[in-house]
Amino acid sequence: MLIPSLFSPSLLALVPIPGLGTSLEKPASSVDPNYFELLERNSHIVYPALAMVVLGLIAAAILQAAKAQDMDGAVKAEFKKLIVDELRRYPAGLETPALAAATGLDRSKLVRLLDQMQQDGVIISHTTTQRQTVWRVKGVGGAAY
């Protein structure tokens, strides 16, 4: 019976715990700037406005990136003609890296143009055992794919 009385809640309340006093005090480094109060009072205006600005910047960046990757019609037609001329030199077809080197186009733009030309029925493609895509002009070359 002696052991339970030693650990009673009233005895534990008498044990001093560091940093826990009976009165609440602000720490010495505590500051109370007015701009925090301004944000707290106007948070229903400030944070949605900040969110709208961020969303506007993101939308502008997406539109800018989309415009930067697109080519205008004249440039696109010129590169398509260059691609067809290059593919006519090699009736067996050319792989994408060789065609990119011959035309001087970035691979992503080249592949986008090649896909458009394939959908238009100008060129055809097949994949080799090395997983390289070979492009050739439709109607030119040996086998029909």
Side-chain angles (χ1 to χ4, degrees), residues 81-111:
K81 183 183 178 311
L82 182 64
I83 290 168
V84 169
D85 289 344
E86 194 66 32
L87 288 175
R88 282 186 181 154
R89 288 188 203 165
Y90 300 94
L94 277 176
E95 294 178 348
T96 307
L99 196 54
T103 58
L105 268 174
D106 181 39
R107 283 191 190 184
S108 63
K109 290 181 181 181
L110 176 68
V111 169

Side-chain angles (χ1 to χ4, degrees), residues 80 83-84 87 96 110-127 133-138 145:
K80 284 182 179 182
I83 290 168
V84 169
L87 288 175
T96 307
L110 176 68
V111 169
R112 196 175 313 129
L113 278 177
L114 291 170
D115 286 336
Q116 286 177 1
M117 292 171 69
Q118 187 173 17
Q119 288 175 356
D120 294 341
V122 177
I123 61 175
I124 57 175
S125 68
H126 69 278
T127 305
T133 304
V134 176
W135 303 89
R136 63 182 182 90
V137 177
K138 191 172 186 178
Y145 292 100

Side-chain angles (χ1 to χ4, degrees), residues 28-40:
S29 65
S30 174
V31 290
D32 191 20
N34 290 332
Y35 57 87
F36 283 136
E37 289 180 17
L38 177 72
L39 283 177
E40 287 177 5

Side-chain angles (χ1 to χ4, degrees), residues 8-17:
S8 69
S10 62
L11 287 178
L12 288 177
L14 296 175
V15 176
I17 299 174

